mmCIF file of all heavy atoms in Angstrom:
data_model
loop_
_atom_site.group_PDB
_atom_site.id
_atom_site.type_symbol
_atom_site.label_atom_id
_atom_site.label_comp_id
_atom_site.label_asym_id
_atom_site.label_seq_id
_atom_site.Cartn_x
_atom_site.Cartn_y
_atom_site.Cartn_z
ATOM 1 N N ARG M 247 17.435 11.987 14.935
ATOM 2 C CA ARG M 247 17.740 11.546 16.294
ATOM 3 C C ARG M 247 17.119 10.190 16.604
ATOM 4 O O ARG M 247 17.772 9.338 17.209
ATOM 5 C CB ARG M 247 17.233 12.591 17.297
ATOM 6 C CG ARG M 247 17.485 12.200 18.752
ATOM 7 C CD ARG M 247 16.941 13.235 19.706
ATOM 8 N NE ARG M 247 17.152 12.824 21.079
ATOM 9 C CZ ARG M 247 16.661 13.472 22.141
ATOM 10 N NH1 ARG M 247 15.944 14.575 21.963
ATOM 11 N NH2 ARG M 247 16.891 13.035 23.361
ATOM 12 N N PHE M 248 15.876 9.990 16.187
ATOM 13 C CA PHE M 248 15.154 8.797 16.612
ATOM 14 C C PHE M 248 15.006 7.721 15.529
ATOM 15 O O PHE M 248 14.787 6.562 15.850
ATOM 16 C CB PHE M 248 13.746 9.181 17.108
ATOM 17 C CG PHE M 248 13.762 9.993 18.363
ATOM 18 C CD1 PHE M 248 13.492 11.347 18.322
ATOM 19 C CD2 PHE M 248 14.081 9.408 19.577
ATOM 20 C CE1 PHE M 248 13.510 12.108 19.484
ATOM 21 C CE2 PHE M 248 14.104 10.154 20.739
ATOM 22 C CZ PHE M 248 13.824 11.520 20.697
ATOM 23 N N ASN M 249 15.108 8.112 14.269
ATOM 24 C CA ASN M 249 14.884 7.139 13.197
ATOM 25 C C ASN M 249 15.618 7.581 11.935
ATOM 26 O O ASN M 249 15.004 7.876 10.911
ATOM 27 C CB ASN M 249 13.389 7.022 12.925
ATOM 28 C CG ASN M 249 13.013 5.700 12.294
ATOM 29 O OD1 ASN M 249 13.838 4.803 12.210
ATOM 30 N ND2 ASN M 249 11.795 5.580 11.842
ATOM 31 N N PRO M 250 16.943 7.626 11.974
ATOM 32 C CA PRO M 250 17.717 8.226 10.874
ATOM 33 C C PRO M 250 17.519 7.553 9.525
ATOM 34 O O PRO M 250 17.647 8.208 8.487
ATOM 35 C CB PRO M 250 19.173 8.091 11.357
ATOM 36 C CG PRO M 250 19.139 7.063 12.442
ATOM 37 C CD PRO M 250 17.801 7.166 13.073
ATOM 38 N N GLU M 251 17.173 6.249 9.517
ATOM 39 C CA GLU M 251 17.004 5.577 8.222
ATOM 40 C C GLU M 251 15.785 6.102 7.476
ATOM 41 O O GLU M 251 15.639 5.850 6.271
ATOM 42 C CB GLU M 251 16.899 4.066 8.410
ATOM 43 C CG GLU M 251 15.659 3.586 9.151
ATOM 44 C CD GLU M 251 15.848 3.569 10.654
ATOM 45 O OE1 GLU M 251 16.827 4.179 11.138
ATOM 46 O OE2 GLU M 251 15.008 2.952 11.333
ATOM 47 N N MET M 252 14.898 6.822 8.153
ATOM 48 C CA MET M 252 13.722 7.376 7.507
ATOM 49 C C MET M 252 13.925 8.829 7.046
ATOM 50 O O MET M 252 13.011 9.440 6.493
ATOM 51 C CB MET M 252 12.523 7.333 8.456
ATOM 52 C CG MET M 252 12.059 5.928 8.810
ATOM 53 S SD MET M 252 11.296 5.097 7.404
ATOM 54 C CE MET M 252 10.680 3.594 8.185
ATOM 55 N N ALA M 253 15.102 9.376 7.266
ATOM 56 C CA ALA M 253 15.350 10.785 6.940
ATOM 57 C C ALA M 253 15.145 11.074 5.452
ATOM 58 O O ALA M 253 14.739 12.176 5.072
ATOM 59 C CB ALA M 253 16.764 11.170 7.356
ATOM 60 N N ALA M 254 15.425 10.079 4.593
ATOM 61 C CA ALA M 254 15.298 10.286 3.145
ATOM 62 C C ALA M 254 13.851 10.501 2.718
ATOM 63 O O ALA M 254 13.591 10.980 1.606
ATOM 64 C CB ALA M 254 15.892 9.097 2.397
ATOM 65 N N LEU M 255 12.875 10.158 3.580
ATOM 66 C CA LEU M 255 11.467 10.310 3.222
ATOM 67 C C LEU M 255 10.968 11.738 3.388
ATOM 68 O O LEU M 255 9.929 12.101 2.844
ATOM 69 C CB LEU M 255 10.601 9.377 4.087
ATOM 70 C CG LEU M 255 10.940 7.883 4.077
ATOM 71 C CD1 LEU M 255 9.967 7.119 4.968
ATOM 72 C CD2 LEU M 255 10.882 7.347 2.652
ATOM 73 N N ILE M 256 11.692 12.544 4.157
ATOM 74 C CA ILE M 256 11.254 13.920 4.441
ATOM 75 C C ILE M 256 11.495 14.796 3.220
ATOM 76 O O ILE M 256 12.590 14.836 2.665
ATOM 77 C CB ILE M 256 11.999 14.496 5.661
ATOM 78 C CG1 ILE M 256 11.932 13.535 6.843
ATOM 79 C CG2 ILE M 256 11.437 15.856 6.024
ATOM 80 C CD1 ILE M 256 10.552 13.243 7.326
ATOM 81 N N GLU M 257 10.466 15.517 2.812
ATOM 82 C CA GLU M 257 10.571 16.378 1.624
ATOM 83 C C GLU M 257 9.922 17.728 1.895
ATOM 84 O O GLU M 257 8.779 17.806 2.343
ATOM 85 C CB GLU M 257 9.890 15.702 0.434
ATOM 86 C CG GLU M 257 9.898 16.535 -0.829
ATOM 87 C CD GLU M 257 9.116 15.873 -1.948
ATOM 88 O OE1 GLU M 257 9.375 14.685 -2.232
ATOM 89 O OE2 GLU M 257 8.232 16.550 -2.535
ATOM 90 N N ARG M 258 10.649 18.779 1.630
ATOM 91 C CA ARG M 258 10.107 20.139 1.766
ATOM 92 C C ARG M 258 9.329 20.486 0.503
ATOM 93 O O ARG M 258 9.877 20.445 -0.602
ATOM 94 C CB ARG M 258 11.248 21.131 1.963
ATOM 95 C CG ARG M 258 10.892 22.591 1.737
ATOM 96 C CD ARG M 258 10.176 23.179 2.942
ATOM 97 N NE ARG M 258 10.142 24.628 2.850
ATOM 98 C CZ ARG M 258 9.129 25.342 2.357
ATOM 99 N NH1 ARG M 258 8.056 24.706 1.879
ATOM 100 N NH2 ARG M 258 9.176 26.654 2.337
ATOM 101 N N TYR M 259 8.031 20.790 0.654
ATOM 102 C CA TYR M 259 7.212 21.157 -0.499
ATOM 103 C C TYR M 259 7.216 22.671 -0.648
ATOM 104 O O TYR M 259 6.855 23.406 0.288
ATOM 105 C CB TYR M 259 5.780 20.663 -0.317
ATOM 106 C CG TYR M 259 4.848 21.132 -1.410
ATOM 107 C CD1 TYR M 259 4.892 20.574 -2.678
ATOM 108 C CD2 TYR M 259 3.940 22.169 -1.173
ATOM 109 C CE1 TYR M 259 4.058 21.014 -3.682
ATOM 110 C CE2 TYR M 259 3.095 22.612 -2.174
ATOM 111 C CZ TYR M 259 3.155 22.043 -3.428
ATOM 112 O OH TYR M 259 2.327 22.488 -4.427
ATOM 113 N N ALA M 260 7.623 23.147 -1.809
ATOM 114 C CA ALA M 260 7.705 24.591 -2.047
ATOM 115 C C ALA M 260 6.954 24.978 -3.319
ATOM 116 O O ALA M 260 7.243 26.005 -3.929
ATOM 117 C CB ALA M 260 9.169 25.016 -2.155
ATOM 118 N N GLY M 261 5.969 24.192 -3.731
ATOM 119 C CA GLY M 261 5.220 24.477 -4.944
ATOM 120 C C GLY M 261 4.327 25.695 -4.809
ATOM 121 O O GLY M 261 4.037 26.176 -3.695
ATOM 122 N N SER M 262 3.869 26.214 -5.932
ATOM 123 C CA SER M 262 3.032 27.411 -5.926
ATOM 124 C C SER M 262 1.616 27.116 -5.451
ATOM 125 O O SER M 262 0.973 27.955 -4.816
ATOM 126 C CB SER M 262 2.986 28.028 -7.334
ATOM 127 O OG SER M 262 2.528 27.062 -8.280
ATOM 128 N N SER M 263 1.123 25.929 -5.737
ATOM 129 C CA SER M 263 -0.217 25.551 -5.300
ATOM 130 C C SER M 263 -0.157 25.038 -3.870
ATOM 131 O O SER M 263 0.751 24.272 -3.526
ATOM 132 C CB SER M 263 -0.776 24.455 -6.220
ATOM 133 O OG SER M 263 -2.052 24.045 -5.789
ATOM 134 N N PRO M 264 -1.085 25.452 -2.984
ATOM 135 C CA PRO M 264 -1.087 24.944 -1.607
ATOM 136 C C PRO M 264 -1.112 23.425 -1.587
ATOM 137 O O PRO M 264 -1.782 22.778 -2.400
ATOM 138 C CB PRO M 264 -2.370 25.536 -1.009
ATOM 139 C CG PRO M 264 -2.634 26.762 -1.815
ATOM 140 C CD PRO M 264 -2.164 26.442 -3.203
ATOM 141 N N LEU M 265 -0.372 22.838 -0.650
ATOM 142 C CA LEU M 265 -0.190 21.391 -0.592
ATOM 143 C C LEU M 265 -1.512 20.638 -0.509
ATOM 144 O O LEU M 265 -1.728 19.658 -1.216
ATOM 145 C CB LEU M 265 0.694 21.044 0.610
ATOM 146 C CG LEU M 265 1.036 19.567 0.816
ATOM 147 C CD1 LEU M 265 1.792 19.019 -0.379
ATOM 148 C CD2 LEU M 265 1.864 19.392 2.092
ATOM 149 N N PHE M 266 -2.428 21.091 0.346
ATOM 150 C CA PHE M 266 -3.698 20.390 0.515
ATOM 151 C C PHE M 266 -4.602 20.530 -0.710
ATOM 152 O O PHE M 266 -5.407 19.652 -0.983
ATOM 153 C CB PHE M 266 -4.420 20.885 1.769
ATOM 154 C CG PHE M 266 -4.020 20.144 3.027
ATOM 155 C CD1 PHE M 266 -2.740 19.626 3.164
ATOM 156 C CD2 PHE M 266 -4.915 19.952 4.065
ATOM 157 C CE1 PHE M 266 -2.363 18.931 4.306
ATOM 158 C CE2 PHE M 266 -4.559 19.262 5.212
ATOM 159 C CZ PHE M 266 -3.273 18.753 5.331
ATOM 160 N N TYR M 267 -4.476 21.637 -1.441
ATOM 161 C CA TYR M 267 -5.248 21.781 -2.684
ATOM 162 C C TYR M 267 -4.689 20.857 -3.764
ATOM 163 O O TYR M 267 -5.439 20.292 -4.567
ATOM 164 C CB TYR M 267 -5.209 23.230 -3.171
ATOM 165 C CG TYR M 267 -6.194 24.125 -2.482
ATOM 166 C CD1 TYR M 267 -5.800 24.965 -1.446
ATOM 167 C CD2 TYR M 267 -7.549 24.133 -2.845
ATOM 168 C CE1 TYR M 267 -6.707 25.780 -0.796
ATOM 169 C CE2 TYR M 267 -8.461 24.945 -2.205
ATOM 170 C CZ TYR M 267 -8.044 25.768 -1.184
ATOM 171 O OH TYR M 267 -8.946 26.573 -0.537
ATOM 172 N N LEU M 268 -3.371 20.692 -3.769
ATOM 173 C CA LEU M 268 -2.727 19.850 -4.775
ATOM 174 C C LEU M 268 -3.238 18.411 -4.705
ATOM 175 O O LEU M 268 -3.444 17.758 -5.723
ATOM 176 C CB LEU M 268 -1.206 19.875 -4.563
ATOM 177 C CG LEU M 268 -0.350 19.091 -5.556
ATOM 178 C CD1 LEU M 268 -0.419 19.728 -6.941
ATOM 179 C CD2 LEU M 268 1.091 19.026 -5.067
ATOM 180 N N TYR M 269 -3.498 17.929 -3.495
ATOM 181 C CA TYR M 269 -3.961 16.554 -3.296
ATOM 182 C C TYR M 269 -5.483 16.456 -3.135
ATOM 183 O O TYR M 269 -6.001 15.376 -2.872
ATOM 184 C CB TYR M 269 -3.291 15.948 -2.058
ATOM 185 C CG TYR M 269 -1.866 15.506 -2.290
ATOM 186 C CD1 TYR M 269 -0.832 16.429 -2.336
ATOM 187 C CD2 TYR M 269 -1.547 14.166 -2.465
ATOM 188 C CE1 TYR M 269 0.486 16.033 -2.531
ATOM 189 C CE2 TYR M 269 -0.228 13.752 -2.666
ATOM 190 C CZ TYR M 269 0.775 14.692 -2.701
ATOM 191 O OH TYR M 269 2.080 14.294 -2.901
ATOM 192 N N GLY M 270 -6.178 17.582 -3.261
ATOM 193 C CA GLY M 270 -7.629 17.553 -3.138
ATOM 194 C C GLY M 270 -8.120 17.380 -1.712
ATOM 195 O O GLY M 270 -9.287 17.037 -1.486
ATOM 196 N N VAL M 271 -7.252 17.624 -0.732
ATOM 197 C CA VAL M 271 -7.625 17.413 0.670
ATOM 198 C C VAL M 271 -8.675 18.423 1.126
ATOM 199 O O VAL M 271 -9.600 18.082 1.865
ATOM 200 C CB VAL M 271 -6.379 17.474 1.580
ATOM 201 C CG1 VAL M 271 -6.766 17.375 3.055
ATOM 202 C CG2 VAL M 271 -5.406 16.358 1.215
ATOM 203 N N GLU M 272 -8.554 19.667 0.674
ATOM 204 C CA GLU M 272 -9.506 20.702 1.092
ATOM 205 C C GLU M 272 -10.933 20.315 0.682
ATOM 206 O O GLU M 272 -11.878 20.446 1.465
ATOM 207 C CB GLU M 272 -9.133 22.059 0.489
ATOM 208 C CG GLU M 272 -7.774 22.605 0.901
ATOM 209 C CD GLU M 272 -7.733 23.072 2.355
ATOM 210 O OE1 GLU M 272 -8.723 22.862 3.086
ATOM 211 O OE2 GLU M 272 -6.692 23.623 2.756
ATOM 212 N N ASP M 273 -11.093 19.838 -0.538
ATOM 213 C CA ASP M 273 -12.431 19.437 -1.001
ATOM 214 C C ASP M 273 -12.945 18.242 -0.207
ATOM 215 O O ASP M 273 -14.135 18.171 0.116
ATOM 216 C CB ASP M 273 -12.387 19.083 -2.497
ATOM 217 C CG ASP M 273 -12.158 20.313 -3.371
ATOM 218 O OD1 ASP M 273 -12.442 21.427 -2.893
ATOM 219 O OD2 ASP M 273 -11.694 20.146 -4.506
ATOM 220 N N GLU M 274 -12.064 17.307 0.114
ATOM 221 C CA GLU M 274 -12.470 16.124 0.881
ATOM 222 C C GLU M 274 -12.924 16.525 2.285
ATOM 223 O O GLU M 274 -13.877 15.956 2.824
ATOM 224 C CB GLU M 274 -11.319 15.121 0.969
ATOM 225 C CG GLU M 274 -11.016 14.409 -0.325
ATOM 226 C CD GLU M 274 -12.030 13.313 -0.629
ATOM 227 O OE1 GLU M 274 -12.983 13.124 0.153
ATOM 228 O OE2 GLU M 274 -11.875 12.642 -1.661
ATOM 229 N N ILE M 275 -12.238 17.473 2.888
ATOM 230 C CA ILE M 275 -12.629 17.936 4.228
ATOM 231 C C ILE M 275 -14.012 18.570 4.176
ATOM 232 O O ILE M 275 -14.864 18.321 5.043
ATOM 233 C CB ILE M 275 -11.585 18.931 4.783
ATOM 234 C CG1 ILE M 275 -10.278 18.201 5.101
ATOM 235 C CG2 ILE M 275 -12.120 19.625 6.032
ATOM 236 C CD1 ILE M 275 -9.144 19.114 5.530
ATOM 237 N N THR M 276 -14.249 19.381 3.148
ATOM 238 C CA THR M 276 -15.568 20.007 3.000
ATOM 239 C C THR M 276 -16.659 18.953 2.855
ATOM 240 O O THR M 276 -17.720 19.037 3.487
ATOM 241 C CB THR M 276 -15.571 20.939 1.770
ATOM 242 O OG1 THR M 276 -14.574 21.962 1.955
ATOM 243 C CG2 THR M 276 -16.934 21.595 1.595
ATOM 244 N N ARG M 277 -16.397 17.925 2.033
ATOM 245 C CA ARG M 277 -17.393 16.865 1.846
ATOM 246 C C ARG M 277 -17.595 16.055 3.134
ATOM 247 O O ARG M 277 -18.692 15.555 3.396
ATOM 248 C CB ARG M 277 -16.967 15.942 0.702
ATOM 249 C CG ARG M 277 -17.198 16.540 -0.685
ATOM 250 C CD ARG M 277 -17.083 15.484 -1.769
ATOM 251 N NE ARG M 277 -15.711 15.106 -1.996
ATOM 252 C CZ ARG M 277 -14.895 15.672 -2.895
ATOM 253 N NH1 ARG M 277 -15.350 16.674 -3.641
ATOM 254 N NH2 ARG M 277 -13.651 15.259 -3.052
ATOM 255 N N ALA M 278 -16.542 15.942 3.937
ATOM 256 C CA ALA M 278 -16.638 15.158 5.169
ATOM 257 C C ALA M 278 -17.477 15.849 6.239
ATOM 258 O O ALA M 278 -17.811 15.238 7.252
ATOM 259 C CB ALA M 278 -15.242 14.871 5.721
ATOM 260 N N LEU M 279 -17.822 17.102 6.030
ATOM 261 C CA LEU M 279 -18.680 17.817 6.979
ATOM 262 C C LEU M 279 -20.156 17.690 6.622
ATOM 263 O O LEU M 279 -21.019 18.115 7.388
ATOM 264 C CB LEU M 279 -18.287 19.303 7.027
ATOM 265 C CG LEU M 279 -16.852 19.589 7.497
ATOM 266 C CD1 LEU M 279 -16.573 21.084 7.434
ATOM 267 C CD2 LEU M 279 -16.621 19.062 8.904
ATOM 268 N N ALA M 280 -20.438 17.113 5.462
ATOM 269 C CA ALA M 280 -21.833 16.946 5.031
ATOM 270 C C ALA M 280 -22.396 15.641 5.580
ATOM 271 O O ALA M 280 -21.665 14.694 5.871
ATOM 272 C CB ALA M 280 -21.911 16.948 3.507
#
Side-chain angles (χ1 to χ4, degrees):
R247 179 181 178 187
F248 293 106
N249 204 9
E251 66 273 14
M252 294 290 187
L255 304 181
I256 309 299
E257 178 185 309
R258 164 79 166 95
Y259 174 74
S262 56
S263 178
L265 182 61
F266 273 31
Y267 278 100
L268 182 67
Y269 282 77
V271 175
E272 298 289 6
D273 290 338
E274 288 283 1
I275 291 175
T276 300
R277 284 194 286 268
L279 298 177

